[in-house]
Amino acid sequence: MTTQTSVPPGESPPECSYCGQPFSHEEYLVLHRGLEHGDELDDDEVSAFHEAYEEETEEMRLFRLKVLAVLVLLYFGFLFTYSIVA
């Protein structure tokens, strides 16, 4: 599957040296290499993947906590509104 992208003139996106797939951010390239080409990576690339993976995991954990807090606030907001109106 090929994704259509637009790259500003004079710039080139980071590309995977193994499969040539372009990425919008270097971080995405590091994660792609670790997930898709893990057996072919050298030690520096493996450590970069582990760092990026841990950072991504932490960001996802924080996002989930924020979403949970919003859902709890919505729930109690609707509950209090219902108890006042009804």
PDB file of all heavy atoms in Angstrom, residues 53-69:
ATOM      1  N   TYR A  53      10.673   3.662  21.803  1.00  0.00           N
ATOM      2  CA  TYR A  53       9.544   2.823  22.201  1.00  0.00           C
ATOM      3  C   TYR A  53       9.097   3.159  23.626  1.00  0.00           C
ATOM      4  O   TYR A  53       7.905   3.272  23.903  1.00  0.00           O
ATOM      5  CB  TYR A  53       9.916   1.352  22.087  1.00  0.00           C
ATOM      6  CG  TYR A  53       8.770   0.412  22.337  1.00  0.00           C
ATOM      7  CD1 TYR A  53       7.848   0.140  21.337  1.00  0.00           C
ATOM      8  CD2 TYR A  53       8.603  -0.206  23.572  1.00  0.00           C
ATOM      9  CE1 TYR A  53       6.788  -0.721  21.553  1.00  0.00           C
ATOM     10  CE2 TYR A  53       7.541  -1.063  23.799  1.00  0.00           C
ATOM     11  CZ  TYR A  53       6.648  -1.316  22.788  1.00  0.00           C
ATOM     12  OH  TYR A  53       5.593  -2.165  23.020  1.00  0.00           O
ATOM     13  N   GLU A  54      10.064   3.326  24.527  1.00  0.00           N
ATOM     14  CA  GLU A  54       9.731   3.681  25.913  1.00  0.00           C
ATOM     15  C   GLU A  54       9.073   5.058  25.981  1.00  0.00           C
ATOM     16  O   GLU A  54       8.113   5.262  26.729  1.00  0.00           O
ATOM     17  CB  GLU A  54      10.988   3.642  26.781  1.00  0.00           C
ATOM     18  CG  GLU A  54      11.480   2.237  27.053  1.00  0.00           C
ATOM     19  CD  GLU A  54      12.797   2.209  27.813  1.00  0.00           C
ATOM     20  OE1 GLU A  54      13.179   3.257  28.376  1.00  0.00           O
ATOM     21  OE2 GLU A  54      13.434   1.149  27.839  1.00  0.00           O
ATOM     22  N   GLU A  55       9.582   6.010  25.191  1.00  0.00           N
ATOM     23  CA  GLU A  55       8.993   7.345  25.164  1.00  0.00           C
ATOM     24  C   GLU A  55       7.566   7.295  24.620  1.00  0.00           C
ATOM     25  O   GLU A  55       6.664   7.929  25.163  1.00  0.00           O
ATOM     26  CB  GLU A  55       9.845   8.264  24.292  1.00  0.00           C
ATOM     27  CG  GLU A  55       9.357   9.691  24.252  1.00  0.00           C
ATOM     28  CD  GLU A  55      10.250  10.568  23.400  1.00  0.00           C
ATOM     29  OE1 GLU A  55      11.483  10.383  23.435  1.00  0.00           O
ATOM     30  OE2 GLU A  55       9.701  11.433  22.702  1.00  0.00           O
ATOM     31  N   GLU A  56       7.363   6.533  23.565  1.00  0.00           N
ATOM     32  CA  GLU A  56       6.023   6.382  22.981  1.00  0.00           C
ATOM     33  C   GLU A  56       5.076   5.716  23.979  1.00  0.00           C
ATOM     34  O   GLU A  56       3.913   6.111  24.106  1.00  0.00           O
ATOM     35  CB  GLU A  56       6.102   5.543  21.705  1.00  0.00           C
ATOM     36  CG  GLU A  56       4.803   5.394  20.975  1.00  0.00           C
ATOM     37  CD  GLU A  56       4.468   6.596  20.123  1.00  0.00           C
ATOM     38  OE1 GLU A  56       5.319   7.470  19.940  1.00  0.00           O
ATOM     39  OE2 GLU A  56       3.323   6.641  19.640  1.00  0.00           O
ATOM     40  N   THR A  57       5.553   4.719  24.699  1.00  0.00           N
ATOM     41  CA  THR A  57       4.744   4.040  25.701  1.00  0.00           C
ATOM     42  C   THR A  57       4.332   4.998  26.807  1.00  0.00           C
ATOM     43  O   THR A  57       3.176   5.001  27.239  1.00  0.00           O
ATOM     44  CB  THR A  57       5.517   2.841  26.291  1.00  0.00           C
ATOM     45  OG1 THR A  57       5.870   1.953  25.227  1.00  0.00           O
ATOM     46  CG2 THR A  57       4.691   2.091  27.312  1.00  0.00           C
ATOM     47  N   GLU A  58       5.262   5.830  27.242  1.00  0.00           N
ATOM     48  CA  GLU A  58       4.962   6.805  28.289  1.00  0.00           C
ATOM     49  C   GLU A  58       3.945   7.837  27.792  1.00  0.00           C
ATOM     50  O   GLU A  58       3.026   8.205  28.528  1.00  0.00           O
ATOM     51  CB  GLU A  58       6.242   7.504  28.750  1.00  0.00           C
ATOM     52  CG  GLU A  58       6.049   8.437  29.914  1.00  0.00           C
ATOM     53  CD  GLU A  58       5.535   7.738  31.165  1.00  0.00           C
ATOM     54  OE1 GLU A  58       5.895   6.571  31.398  1.00  0.00           O
ATOM     55  OE2 GLU A  58       4.756   8.362  31.911  1.00  0.00           O
ATOM     56  N   GLU A  59       4.087   8.284  26.553  1.00  0.00           N
ATOM     57  CA  GLU A  59       3.124   9.231  25.991  1.00  0.00           C
ATOM     58  C   GLU A  59       1.734   8.613  25.897  1.00  0.00           C
ATOM     59  O   GLU A  59       0.727   9.283  26.171  1.00  0.00           O
ATOM     60  CB  GLU A  59       3.587   9.699  24.610  1.00  0.00           C
ATOM     61  CG  GLU A  59       4.781  10.619  24.644  1.00  0.00           C
ATOM     62  CD  GLU A  59       5.294  10.966  23.262  1.00  0.00           C
ATOM     63  OE1 GLU A  59       4.647  10.607  22.249  1.00  0.00           O
ATOM     64  OE2 GLU A  59       6.356  11.607  23.186  1.00  0.00           O
ATOM     65  N   MET A  60       1.655   7.349  25.514  1.00  0.00           N
ATOM     66  CA  MET A  60       0.356   6.669  25.426  1.00  0.00           C
ATOM     67  C   MET A  60      -0.264   6.495  26.810  1.00  0.00           C
ATOM     68  O   MET A  60      -1.476   6.648  26.980  1.00  0.00           O
ATOM     69  CB  MET A  60       0.502   5.309  24.741  1.00  0.00           C
ATOM     70  CG  MET A  60       0.734   5.399  23.258  1.00  0.00           C
ATOM     71  SD  MET A  60      -0.602   6.233  22.386  1.00  0.00           S
ATOM     72  CE  MET A  60      -1.956   5.154  22.715  1.00  0.00           C
ATOM     73  N   ARG A  61       0.546   6.187  27.799  1.00  0.00           N
ATOM     74  CA  ARG A  61       0.047   6.033  29.167  1.00  0.00           C
ATOM     75  C   ARG A  61      -0.538   7.355  29.667  1.00  0.00           C
ATOM     76  O   ARG A  61      -1.627   7.384  30.237  1.00  0.00           O
ATOM     77  CB  ARG A  61       1.170   5.568  30.085  1.00  0.00           C
ATOM     78  CG  ARG A  61       0.711   5.268  31.509  1.00  0.00           C
ATOM     79  CD  ARG A  61       1.830   4.706  32.363  1.00  0.00           C
ATOM     80  NE  ARG A  61       2.260   3.417  31.849  1.00  0.00           N
ATOM     81  CZ  ARG A  61       3.515   3.113  31.518  1.00  0.00           C
ATOM     82  NH1 ARG A  61       4.473   3.994  31.666  1.00  0.00           N
ATOM     83  NH2 ARG A  61       3.830   1.921  31.063  1.00  0.00           N
ATOM     84  N   LEU A  62       0.165   8.461  29.410  1.00  0.00           N
ATOM     85  CA  LEU A  62      -0.316   9.776  29.812  1.00  0.00           C
ATOM     86  C   LEU A  62      -1.604  10.138  29.073  1.00  0.00           C
ATOM     87  O   LEU A  62      -2.550  10.658  29.670  1.00  0.00           O
ATOM     88  CB  LEU A  62       0.762  10.825  29.543  1.00  0.00           C
ATOM     89  CG  LEU A  62       0.452  12.244  29.982  1.00  0.00           C
ATOM     90  CD1 LEU A  62       0.182  12.301  31.483  1.00  0.00           C
ATOM     91  CD2 LEU A  62       1.615  13.157  29.618  1.00  0.00           C
ATOM     92  N   PHE A  63      -1.670   9.832  27.786  1.00  0.00           N
ATOM     93  CA  PHE A  63      -2.882  10.091  27.005  1.00  0.00           C
ATOM     94  C   PHE A  63      -4.074   9.319  27.567  1.00  0.00           C
ATOM     95  O   PHE A  63      -5.168   9.862  27.705  1.00  0.00           O
ATOM     96  CB  PHE A  63      -2.643   9.719  25.538  1.00  0.00           C
ATOM     97  CG  PHE A  63      -3.875   9.797  24.692  1.00  0.00           C
ATOM     98  CD1 PHE A  63      -4.382  11.027  24.298  1.00  0.00           C
ATOM     99  CD2 PHE A  63      -4.530   8.642  24.297  1.00  0.00           C
ATOM    100  CE1 PHE A  63      -5.525  11.098  23.522  1.00  0.00           C
ATOM    101  CE2 PHE A  63      -5.666   8.703  23.522  1.00  0.00           C
ATOM    102  CZ  PHE A  63      -6.174   9.939  23.130  1.00  0.00           C
ATOM    103  N   ARG A  64      -3.860   8.065  27.894  1.00  0.00           N
ATOM    104  CA  ARG A  64      -4.949   7.246  28.450  1.00  0.00           C
ATOM    105  C   ARG A  64      -5.445   7.800  29.782  1.00  0.00           C
ATOM    106  O   ARG A  64      -6.649   7.796  30.054  1.00  0.00           O
ATOM    107  CB  ARG A  64      -4.484   5.808  28.612  1.00  0.00           C
ATOM    108  CG  ARG A  64      -4.323   5.078  27.307  1.00  0.00           C
ATOM    109  CD  ARG A  64      -3.796   3.674  27.518  1.00  0.00           C
ATOM    110  NE  ARG A  64      -3.573   3.023  26.248  1.00  0.00           N
ATOM    111  CZ  ARG A  64      -2.629   2.130  26.033  1.00  0.00           C
ATOM    112  NH1 ARG A  64      -1.830   1.770  27.032  1.00  0.00           N
ATOM    113  NH2 ARG A  64      -2.484   1.585  24.856  1.00  0.00           N
ATOM    114  N   LEU A  65      -4.524   8.263  30.620  1.00  0.00           N
ATOM    115  CA  LEU A  65      -4.930   8.856  31.888  1.00  0.00           C
ATOM    116  C   LEU A  65      -5.742  10.131  31.677  1.00  0.00           C
ATOM    117  O   LEU A  65      -6.737  10.367  32.367  1.00  0.00           O
ATOM    118  CB  LEU A  65      -3.705   9.155  32.755  1.00  0.00           C
ATOM    119  CG  LEU A  65      -3.044   7.946  33.404  1.00  0.00           C
ATOM    120  CD1 LEU A  65      -1.746   8.363  34.092  1.00  0.00           C
ATOM    121  CD2 LEU A  65      -3.978   7.283  34.391  1.00  0.00           C
ATOM    122  N   LYS A  66      -5.341  10.945  30.719  1.00  0.00           N
ATOM    123  CA  LYS A  66      -6.089  12.167  30.419  1.00  0.00           C
ATOM    124  C   LYS A  66      -7.487  11.839  29.907  1.00  0.00           C
ATOM    125  O   LYS A  66      -8.467  12.474  30.293  1.00  0.00           O
ATOM    126  CB  LYS A  66      -5.339  13.005  29.389  1.00  0.00           C
ATOM    127  CG  LYS A  66      -4.110  13.686  29.933  1.00  0.00           C
ATOM    128  CD  LYS A  66      -3.400  14.471  28.852  1.00  0.00           C
ATOM    129  CE  LYS A  66      -2.139  15.134  29.369  1.00  0.00           C
ATOM    130  NZ  LYS A  66      -1.434  15.880  28.307  1.00  0.00           N
ATOM    131  N   VAL A  67      -7.587  10.855  29.028  1.00  0.00           N
ATOM    132  CA  VAL A  67      -8.892  10.450  28.503  1.00  0.00           C
ATOM    133  C   VAL A  67      -9.771   9.908  29.626  1.00  0.00           C
ATOM    134  O   VAL A  67     -10.960  10.224  29.701  1.00  0.00           O
ATOM    135  CB  VAL A  67      -8.739   9.418  27.369  1.00  0.00           C
ATOM    136  CG1 VAL A  67     -10.068   8.799  26.995  1.00  0.00           C
ATOM    137  CG2 VAL A  67      -8.101  10.064  26.148  1.00  0.00           C
ATOM    138  N   LEU A  68      -9.209   9.116  30.504  1.00  0.00           N
ATOM    139  CA  LEU A  68      -9.963   8.590  31.635  1.00  0.00           C
ATOM    140  C   LEU A  68     -10.469   9.728  32.516  1.00  0.00           C
ATOM    141  O   LEU A  68     -11.632   9.717  32.941  1.00  0.00           O
ATOM    142  CB  LEU A  68      -9.109   7.619  32.451  1.00  0.00           C
ATOM    143  CG  LEU A  68      -9.763   7.030  33.693  1.00  0.00           C
ATOM    144  CD1 LEU A  68     -10.975   6.187  33.302  1.00  0.00           C
ATOM    145  CD2 LEU A  68      -8.756   6.200  34.472  1.00  0.00           C
ATOM    146  N   ALA A  69      -9.625  10.717  32.783  1.00  0.00           N
ATOM    147  CA  ALA A  69     -10.037  11.858  33.610  1.00  0.00           C
ATOM    148  C   ALA A  69     -11.183  12.618  32.942  1.00  0.00           C
ATOM    149  O   ALA A  69     -12.148  13.000  33.616  1.00  0.00           O
ATOM    150  CB  ALA A  69      -8.848  12.784  33.842  1.00  0.00           C
TER     151      ALA A  69
END
